[in-house]
Every structure is written in structure tokens, then in C-alpha cells.
Amino acid sequence: MIYDVSYTAIIFFVIFVGLVLGLSFYFGRKTKSASSYYAAGGQIHWSVNGIAFAGDYLSAASFLGICGMIATSGYDGFLYAIGFLAGWMVALFLVAEPFKKLGKYTFSDALNSTFKSRLVTLTASISTLIVSIFYLIPQMVGAGDLVTPLLGFPHWVGVLIVGIIVILIVATAGMTSTTYVQFLKGGLLILLSGILAFYIMKNGFTLNPDHENQPYHEFVELTPVMNGDQVSSVADWNVLSQQNVQGKEFVNLEKDGIERWFMLTEKNDKPVLTEALSITVDENGTQLYNGEPKENGNFYQVGHLSKIVVDGQEVESSGPVNPIQFLNIIKNSELVRFLNVKFSDGNQEVSLYYQEETSGKDFMLPGLKYKIGKDASWWSKMDFVSLMIALFLGTAALPHILIRYYTVNSPRDARKSTILAIAAIGAFYLLTLYLGIGSAINGVMDVESSNMAAPLLAKAFGVILFSVISAIAFATVLGTVSGLIVASSGAIAHDLMDGYFNKNLSDEKKVLAGKLAAFGVGIFAIALGIAFKGMNVSFLVGWAFAIAASANLPAILFILFWKKTTAKGISWSIIMGIFSSLAIILTSPTMWGRYGLSPADAIHQLENPAIISFPLAVITLYLVSISTTKRKVNI
């Protein structure tokens, strides 16, 4: 869709970016030692750290991805929020306090507190880099998605802007500025999400989701003349072609030189053609949106209700509702989602978005994305369980979350920070349910990017709200990417250069090496953010959680709770976790599609690897430790 540049949004964007950079330069003057650069000197107050924890965790995946996933897949999208929150229980009860006692700056420090092993240093630092990079990808993709409606730039420019700003933040002050950026944006994100939820309740439900300066497109229905199963003619239109795709019939019509796609269905036992959205690319690379150049602005925002039931009666609108009424009404009503199919038609490649009426009851139950009922395949059930394992176990093993335990003064403060983070994150995820459903029914969805659901919903309620929400969302990306780059630069400069290669760097050189590493990781993240454009950021984050759960968590738990753990057991467990999870991800149906192949022809149909890679890592750690216990000496 075409986004109009908002100068109000640009002003808020510049203010927030200026504030973030100002904080970085202020703290940068105080950052002289490795301790202050990598761990903020361990002097952050637990309450600030708790909200900063929430800021770290409420990344682009949470605000952009989960809202978009709920808007398109209903309750299945909310499962991500439940999984993300449940993972904090592992962090709170098993990891928080003991991990603070073990470490100094990085994940590798904690694992090596007993062994002083170079092999552990090497594998832990590589694991930190890989997990951080997989977590960086969705943040950068989300940044590009945000900048397009905010500033009117192409996706790749947004990724580039975020990359440059984040490199500046990390290279100036490291963990101290990153912490305060996260504190600021974490608090504002929760506050503004509450305000947006208030607007959703106040607006209630309506069959005509028109908004000021944003009228909703009325989708056309045509009555065709049939010849058997084929459309033979339609009044005032020329019939060009008809395609059967995945059991559904799609018809290409032409009028006044413009081609439009329709889906053939039945209503009251009579055939009817309902208007769809389409993006076509011909053999010369010419891309048309609904048969016209994109600049014509005839590719619409979507998402509406087809039936509203209040207290057993069908109505056209409900008026303001409270949170409980909101959920009851959506459960009894019916909404229209737009699903995507791709196919070839003559010399054109067609990406078509057709209307799918969905009952509110189905929308609020699992099954729209993850098939786990009686009709589900074995692969689908396994994939769902695997995703839940990754989300539950991955949180406590994310490098940028782990290093935040080192920014407070004591293990007790680490636990208190975690409790505050859980409360803040829980409140936010509850709000995402309303934000996602609100996006699905208010005619704001961009079918090309579900990531923009929440910001576009805010835009429908007012440009000021949109401007502030978008600026905060942008700060969300900045803060999370900053934390990830700090973790990555620590792995390179502190673990690899100083620990593994024994460079014996001075404090000043450690800081310099960290800043140079931040620059390199930032450049790499920019390239990945451009390459993965268009993918849902929550889905991408699921991969980062799976790798973290498989490579890092077994090592953390065994070193904390099993005395027979050895350095070789830790190292080979990390290697097995990384190798097995990456192997499954790189051969998954989604990656098959990125390679230009058919996802259906992929080696397997598993998207999320944790159900296999986590047990493999645990078994490896146990067996190797048992076999090397007698040789538990420095390697």
C-alpha cells in the first residue's frame, strides 16, 4: 500500500531519536572501563533494570509481530505472548540469582567460572553471536517496516537508519546508555499501548470501519453467468481467465483496461464473485497493484466485521464497550480476514489476497495458524509443540537478557528486577490481545506486512497517536538492537579476543575492541534486515528462541544444578544445540521458499527445531560429561 508521509510523525521521530542519542553521548563521557561499557559497572538500580528488562524483551517481535500475528491468526498469535511470558518463570526460579553470582560481563564468563576452559569460551561466544544475529534479523526487518509509513522511505533505508543510530548508541556508551534507553522506551511502550487499547474500547464494533480521512473500501460483489463450473460472462466486465488454486476458484476480469481478480463463491445457493486484492508481476518485471501502478493508491487497507452480535442480536455497531464485553462480542461475531495465495497466470506471477469469513469463536481458539485438532497433520502438531518448547525455554538463555543480570549490584537485586519485569511484560502482553483484535476489525491491515498492524491502528485513531506510537516502536527497535550488539561485541572483544586468543587487552583496549566489534555486527545486521524483508518478526524471533534454548539453556542448567558437568560436556552440548537447530531451520519449508523452491518440497515440514535440538543438546551434555568426569581438568 502507499503510505502518506506525516510531518507530525517526522517531528516526533526526530525528537525521540535526538533524546536517545543525547542519552548515549551523556553516558558515553562516563564510560571509561570495560566494566562500565559491558555491564554498566553493576550499578543500575533494580527497578530501572526491571523496566529495562521489559524494554529488552518487548522488542519489535512483541509490539509489531505479536499484534500482527493476532490480527491475522487470532488466538494462535496470542500463543506467542503466552510462550514469551511463561519463559520468564524459568528465568525467575532457576537462573536469575545463581547466574548473577557466576558471571562478570558475558554468557561465557558464567559458564567458565569453574572450568577456565578455552573450548567453553570459544563455543559460548560463537553461540552468543549466532543467537544475537538471529534475534537481530526481526528487529531490523521491523525497523524497515516502521520507517516506510513514518518517513516515506523504502524498507532498506529504514534498516540503514536503525543500523547507523544503533552503532552510534553502542559505540558511545555501551550498556549504560542501552539500559536507560530500554527503561525509557519500555515504560512508554506499556503506557501508550494502554492508551491505544482505551481507544479501541471507546470505538467499539462497527460494520463500516471508516475513520477520519481514512474511508474504508467497499469491496465489490458481482453476479456471474456460469457454464458448468466456469464463469462465461459478467455484466460490464470481460472474463480473461479462471484459476483453481488450493481448491478455490479465482477469476481475472477486465474493465476499462484495468484487470482485477475475484474469488468465485456461492451465496444463497447462487454464484457470486467477491473482489480480491492482487499484486501481479509480468515477464518484464512490471508490478501492478489491483491492475494499476502502486502510485494510483488503489491497493487498500483491509480487515472488517461481517456480523456483529450483541446480547444475541445482530447490530451494525456496538458503541463503547469494556474489556470483558469486547472479548464476548468478538467471540459471538464474524470477521473477514484476507488470506494469501500465489500462482502463475499466463506470463504473470500473481500474489492474491482473498476474503475469508471467520467466526469469532474460531478466531479466539487455536487452529487458524497451527493445526493441532483432529484434522492436523503429524508435522503440524509437532511444529506447534516445538514452538512452545522454544518460547518457554529460550527466554532464560538469550544473551542480551543474561548480561542484564550483571548490571545490578547483587543476586537479590537480580531477582527483584526479574519480578518487576514479569509484571510489566505480563501487562503489556494482555494489551496486545486487544491491539491485535482491534487491528483485525478496524480496516487498517496492510496485507503486505502484518508487522504494521498496531501502528496503523493508531493512525486510524489520530495522527498524533500514530506519531508517538511509531516513534516509541522505533525506539523499541533501537533499544533491543543496542542490547544485542552489546552482547555480540562482548562475545567478540571480551570472550574471543581477550579470552580465547589470550591477547591480554588492557581495559581501554577492551572498550575499543568492543566498539569496533559493534560496528562490524551493526553492518552485518543491516544486510540481514534487508534480505529478510516481508517476514513476520514474531516468526523470526521464534528461531532465535529455539537456538538459544538448544545451545545455551542445557549448559546453564547443568552448570548450576549438576556437579558432574564437565567443560567438554558444556562445549559439545553447545555445538550440538547450534548445529542441530540451524540444520533444521536452514532446511525448513520457510527457508525453502526463500531459496526460490517450493516449501512443499522441503526435506521436512518442521519450522521450529527445539523439539529435536533441545533434547539432543541435553543428551550430548550428559553423555560427554559422564564420559569425561574423571578428566575434569582444565582443557
Side-chain angles (χ1 to χ4, degrees), residues 544-564:
F545 273 69
I547 300 170
S550 306
N552 296 351
L553 191 63
I556 293 170
L557 295 181
F558 272 69
I559 201 168
L560 290 178
F561 302 110
W562 194 46
K563 293 182 179 178
K564 293 182 179 179

PDB file of all heavy atoms in Angstrom, residues 544-564:
ATOM      1  N   ALA A 544      15.233 -17.571  16.919  1.00  0.00           N
ATOM      2  CA  ALA A 544      16.265 -17.159  17.880  1.00  0.00           C
ATOM      3  C   ALA A 544      16.045 -17.845  19.226  1.00  0.00           C
ATOM      4  O   ALA A 544      17.000 -18.307  19.869  1.00  0.00           O
ATOM      5  CB  ALA A 544      16.240 -15.642  18.042  1.00  0.00           C
ATOM      6  N   PHE A 545      14.779 -17.932  19.653  1.00  0.00           N
ATOM      7  CA  PHE A 545      14.467 -18.614  20.918  1.00  0.00           C
ATOM      8  C   PHE A 545      14.849 -20.096  20.833  1.00  0.00           C
ATOM      9  O   PHE A 545      15.353 -20.676  21.796  1.00  0.00           O
ATOM     10  CB  PHE A 545      12.975 -18.479  21.229  1.00  0.00           C
ATOM     11  CG  PHE A 545      12.631 -17.224  21.975  1.00  0.00           C
ATOM     12  CD1 PHE A 545      12.725 -15.983  21.363  1.00  0.00           C
ATOM     13  CD2 PHE A 545      12.206 -17.268  23.289  1.00  0.00           C
ATOM     14  CE1 PHE A 545      12.421 -14.813  22.041  1.00  0.00           C
ATOM     15  CE2 PHE A 545      11.903 -16.104  23.983  1.00  0.00           C
ATOM     16  CZ  PHE A 545      12.005 -14.877  23.358  1.00  0.00           C
ATOM     17  N   ALA A 546      14.575 -20.713  19.696  1.00  0.00           N
ATOM     18  CA  ALA A 546      14.882 -22.145  19.546  1.00  0.00           C
ATOM     19  C   ALA A 546      16.382 -22.395  19.632  1.00  0.00           C
ATOM     20  O   ALA A 546      16.831 -23.346  20.292  1.00  0.00           O
ATOM     21  CB  ALA A 546      14.336 -22.646  18.210  1.00  0.00           C
ATOM     22  N   ILE A 547      17.178 -21.555  18.991  1.00  0.00           N
ATOM     23  CA  ILE A 547      18.638 -21.733  19.037  1.00  0.00           C
ATOM     24  C   ILE A 547      19.148 -21.474  20.450  1.00  0.00           C
ATOM     25  O   ILE A 547      19.999 -22.218  20.966  1.00  0.00           O
ATOM     26  CB  ILE A 547      19.332 -20.795  18.027  1.00  0.00           C
ATOM     27  CG1 ILE A 547      18.857 -21.093  16.606  1.00  0.00           C
ATOM     28  CG2 ILE A 547      20.848 -20.966  18.096  1.00  0.00           C
ATOM     29  CD1 ILE A 547      19.318 -20.065  15.579  1.00  0.00           C
ATOM     30  N   ALA A 548      18.630 -20.431  21.100  1.00  0.00           N
ATOM     31  CA  ALA A 548      19.061 -20.121  22.471  1.00  0.00           C
ATOM     32  C   ALA A 548      18.697 -21.259  23.419  1.00  0.00           C
ATOM     33  O   ALA A 548      19.514 -21.673  24.256  1.00  0.00           O
ATOM     34  CB  ALA A 548      18.419 -18.815  22.932  1.00  0.00           C
ATOM     35  N   ALA A 549      17.478 -21.786  23.297  1.00  0.00           N
ATOM     36  CA  ALA A 549      17.049 -22.884  24.168  1.00  0.00           C
ATOM     37  C   ALA A 549      17.926 -24.119  23.955  1.00  0.00           C
ATOM     38  O   ALA A 549      18.282 -24.814  24.913  1.00  0.00           O
ATOM     39  CB  ALA A 549      15.584 -23.223  23.890  1.00  0.00           C
ATOM     40  N   SER A 550      18.292 -24.380  22.708  1.00  0.00           N
ATOM     41  CA  SER A 550      19.047 -25.596  22.394  1.00  0.00           C
ATOM     42  C   SER A 550      20.528 -25.454  22.729  1.00  0.00           C
ATOM     43  O   SER A 550      21.137 -26.373  23.290  1.00  0.00           O
ATOM     44  CB  SER A 550      18.896 -25.930  20.902  1.00  0.00           C
ATOM     45  OG  SER A 550      17.535 -26.001  20.547  1.00  0.00           O
ATOM     46  N   ALA A 551      21.124 -24.323  22.390  1.00  0.00           N
ATOM     47  CA  ALA A 551      22.571 -24.167  22.547  1.00  0.00           C
ATOM     48  C   ALA A 551      22.964 -23.721  23.948  1.00  0.00           C
ATOM     49  O   ALA A 551      23.988 -24.168  24.476  1.00  0.00           O
ATOM     50  CB  ALA A 551      23.091 -23.163  21.517  1.00  0.00           C
ATOM     51  N   ASN A 552      22.163 -22.842  24.566  1.00  0.00           N
ATOM     52  CA  ASN A 552      22.593 -22.210  25.824  1.00  0.00           C
ATOM     53  C   ASN A 552      21.953 -22.791  27.078  1.00  0.00           C
ATOM     54  O   ASN A 552      22.616 -22.944  28.108  1.00  0.00           O
ATOM     55  CB  ASN A 552      22.291 -20.709  25.773  1.00  0.00           C
ATOM     56  CG  ASN A 552      23.091 -19.995  24.700  1.00  0.00           C
ATOM     57  OD1 ASN A 552      23.986 -20.571  24.104  1.00  0.00           O
ATOM     58  ND2 ASN A 552      22.759 -18.746  24.444  1.00  0.00           N
ATOM     59  N   LEU A 553      20.638 -23.068  27.029  1.00  0.00           N
ATOM     60  CA  LEU A 553      19.957 -23.436  28.277  1.00  0.00           C
ATOM     61  C   LEU A 553      20.463 -24.735  28.897  1.00  0.00           C
ATOM     62  O   LEU A 553      20.653 -24.789  30.130  1.00  0.00           O
ATOM     63  CB  LEU A 553      18.444 -23.499  28.070  1.00  0.00           C
ATOM     64  CG  LEU A 553      17.660 -23.605  29.386  1.00  0.00           C
ATOM     65  CD1 LEU A 553      17.885 -22.353  30.237  1.00  0.00           C
ATOM     66  CD2 LEU A 553      16.185 -23.800  29.137  1.00  0.00           C
ATOM     67  N   PRO A 554      20.695 -25.809  28.136  1.00  0.00           N
ATOM     68  CA  PRO A 554      21.236 -27.021  28.781  1.00  0.00           C
ATOM     69  C   PRO A 554      22.540 -26.733  29.520  1.00  0.00           C
ATOM     70  O   PRO A 554      22.733 -27.206  30.644  1.00  0.00           O
ATOM     71  CB  PRO A 554      21.444 -27.980  27.595  1.00  0.00           C
ATOM     72  CG  PRO A 554      20.472 -27.530  26.568  1.00  0.00           C
ATOM     73  CD  PRO A 554      20.422 -26.044  26.699  1.00  0.00           C
ATOM     74  N   ALA A 555      23.405 -25.932  28.905  1.00  0.00           N
ATOM     75  CA  ALA A 555      24.680 -25.606  29.556  1.00  0.00           C
ATOM     76  C   ALA A 555      24.446 -24.833  30.849  1.00  0.00           C
ATOM     77  O   ALA A 555      25.070 -25.111  31.883  1.00  0.00           O
ATOM     78  CB  ALA A 555      25.544 -24.792  28.597  1.00  0.00           C
ATOM     79  N   ILE A 556      23.523 -23.864  30.828  1.00  0.00           N
ATOM     80  CA  ILE A 556      23.245 -23.058  32.028  1.00  0.00           C
ATOM     81  C   ILE A 556      22.695 -23.931  33.155  1.00  0.00           C
ATOM     82  O   ILE A 556      23.164 -23.880  34.296  1.00  0.00           O
ATOM     83  CB  ILE A 556      22.238 -21.940  31.686  1.00  0.00           C
ATOM     84  CG1 ILE A 556      22.869 -20.931  30.716  1.00  0.00           C
ATOM     85  CG2 ILE A 556      21.770 -21.221  32.952  1.00  0.00           C
ATOM     86  CD1 ILE A 556      21.877 -19.939  30.156  1.00  0.00           C
ATOM     87  N   LEU A 557      21.686 -24.740  32.841  1.00  0.00           N
ATOM     88  CA  LEU A 557      21.037 -25.547  33.882  1.00  0.00           C
ATOM     89  C   LEU A 557      21.982 -26.598  34.462  1.00  0.00           C
ATOM     90  O   LEU A 557      22.012 -26.824  35.672  1.00  0.00           O
ATOM     91  CB  LEU A 557      19.777 -26.213  33.311  1.00  0.00           C
ATOM     92  CG  LEU A 557      18.661 -25.249  32.884  1.00  0.00           C
ATOM     93  CD1 LEU A 557      17.456 -26.015  32.355  1.00  0.00           C
ATOM     94  CD2 LEU A 557      18.241 -24.358  34.059  1.00  0.00           C
ATOM     95  N   PHE A 558      22.760 -27.250  33.597  1.00  0.00           N
ATOM     96  CA  PHE A 558      23.660 -28.304  34.095  1.00  0.00           C
ATOM     97  C   PHE A 558      24.762 -27.706  34.963  1.00  0.00           C
ATOM     98  O   PHE A 558      25.137 -28.287  35.978  1.00  0.00           O
ATOM     99  CB  PHE A 558      24.261 -29.083  32.913  1.00  0.00           C
ATOM    100  CG  PHE A 558      23.404 -30.245  32.475  1.00  0.00           C
ATOM    101  CD1 PHE A 558      22.186 -30.032  31.860  1.00  0.00           C
ATOM    102  CD2 PHE A 558      23.811 -31.550  32.691  1.00  0.00           C
ATOM    103  CE1 PHE A 558      21.382 -31.092  31.457  1.00  0.00           C
ATOM    104  CE2 PHE A 558      23.016 -32.626  32.292  1.00  0.00           C
ATOM    105  CZ  PHE A 558      21.801 -32.393  31.669  1.00  0.00           C
ATOM    106  N   ILE A 559      25.299 -26.571  34.576  1.00  0.00           N
ATOM    107  CA  ILE A 559      26.397 -25.999  35.359  1.00  0.00           C
ATOM    108  C   ILE A 559      25.897 -25.474  36.706  1.00  0.00           C
ATOM    109  O   ILE A 559      26.643 -25.438  37.693  1.00  0.00           O
ATOM    110  CB  ILE A 559      27.122 -24.902  34.570  1.00  0.00           C
ATOM    111  CG1 ILE A 559      28.530 -24.707  35.150  1.00  0.00           C
ATOM    112  CG2 ILE A 559      26.384 -23.579  34.618  1.00  0.00           C
ATOM    113  CD1 ILE A 559      29.412 -23.873  34.281  1.00  0.00           C
ATOM    114  N   LEU A 560      24.612 -25.105  36.763  1.00  0.00           N
ATOM    115  CA  LEU A 560      24.045 -24.612  38.016  1.00  0.00           C
ATOM    116  C   LEU A 560      23.624 -25.742  38.944  1.00  0.00           C
ATOM    117  O   LEU A 560      23.715 -25.611  40.172  1.00  0.00           O
ATOM    118  CB  LEU A 560      22.833 -23.712  37.725  1.00  0.00           C
ATOM    119  CG  LEU A 560      23.102 -22.343  37.080  1.00  0.00           C
ATOM    120  CD1 LEU A 560      21.791 -21.615  36.814  1.00  0.00           C
ATOM    121  CD2 LEU A 560      23.997 -21.490  37.968  1.00  0.00           C
ATOM    122  N   PHE A 561      23.167 -26.874  38.365  1.00  0.00           N
ATOM    123  CA  PHE A 561      22.488 -27.876  39.203  1.00  0.00           C
ATOM    124  C   PHE A 561      23.055 -29.294  39.113  1.00  0.00           C
ATOM    125  O   PHE A 561      22.511 -30.200  39.724  1.00  0.00           O
ATOM    126  CB  PHE A 561      20.994 -27.912  38.834  1.00  0.00           C
ATOM    127  CG  PHE A 561      20.320 -26.580  38.994  1.00  0.00           C
ATOM    128  CD1 PHE A 561      19.909 -25.845  37.890  1.00  0.00           C
ATOM    129  CD2 PHE A 561      20.111 -26.035  40.261  1.00  0.00           C
ATOM    130  CE1 PHE A 561      19.295 -24.613  38.041  1.00  0.00           C
ATOM    131  CE2 PHE A 561      19.502 -24.803  40.414  1.00  0.00           C
ATOM    132  CZ  PHE A 561      19.092 -24.081  39.304  1.00  0.00           C
ATOM    133  N   TRP A 562      24.143 -29.545  38.366  1.00  0.00           N
ATOM    134  CA  TRP A 562      24.683 -30.905  38.283  1.00  0.00           C
ATOM    135  C   TRP A 562      26.196 -30.832  38.441  1.00  0.00           C
ATOM    136  O   TRP A 562      26.895 -30.313  37.559  1.00  0.00           O
ATOM    137  CB  TRP A 562      24.312 -31.553  36.944  1.00  0.00           C
ATOM    138  CG  TRP A 562      24.532 -33.035  36.928  1.00  0.00           C
ATOM    139  CD1 TRP A 562      24.160 -33.937  37.887  1.00  0.00           C
ATOM    140  CD2 TRP A 562      25.169 -33.797  35.886  1.00  0.00           C
ATOM    141  NE1 TRP A 562      24.519 -35.204  37.520  1.00  0.00           N
ATOM    142  CE2 TRP A 562      25.134 -35.153  36.294  1.00  0.00           C
ATOM    143  CE3 TRP A 562      25.743 -33.466  34.672  1.00  0.00           C
ATOM    144  CZ2 TRP A 562      25.670 -36.169  35.504  1.00  0.00           C
ATOM    145  CZ3 TRP A 562      26.271 -34.483  33.894  1.00  0.00           C
ATOM    146  CH2 TRP A 562      26.232 -35.815  34.303  1.00  0.00           C
ATOM    147  N   LYS A 563      26.701 -31.376  39.517  1.00  0.00           N
ATOM    148  CA  LYS A 563      28.107 -31.234  39.854  1.00  0.00           C
ATOM    149  C   LYS A 563      29.031 -32.023  38.935  1.00  0.00           C
ATOM    150  O   LYS A 563      30.238 -31.769  38.893  1.00  0.00           O
ATOM    151  CB  LYS A 563      28.335 -31.657  41.306  1.00  0.00           C
ATOM    152  CG  LYS A 563      27.682 -30.716  42.314  1.00  0.00           C
ATOM    153  CD  LYS A 563      27.955 -31.135  43.738  1.00  0.00           C
ATOM    154  CE  LYS A 563      27.311 -30.170  44.727  1.00  0.00           C
ATOM    155  NZ  LYS A 563      27.516 -30.574  46.133  1.00  0.00           N
ATOM    156  N   LYS A 564      28.499 -33.023  38.217  1.00  0.00           N
ATOM    157  CA  LYS A 564      29.349 -33.835  37.356  1.00  0.00           C
ATOM    158  C   LYS A 564      29.544 -33.208  35.962  1.00  0.00           C
ATOM    159  O   LYS A 564      30.164 -33.819  35.092  1.00  0.00           O
ATOM    160  CB  LYS A 564      28.764 -35.240  37.213  1.00  0.00           C
ATOM    161  CG  LYS A 564      28.795 -36.035  38.515  1.00  0.00           C
ATOM    162  CD  LYS A 564      28.250 -37.441  38.307  1.00  0.00           C
ATOM    163  CE  LYS A 564      28.307 -38.232  39.613  1.00  0.00           C
ATOM    164  NZ  LYS A 564      27.752 -39.603  39.444  1.00  0.00           N
TER     165      LYS A 564
END
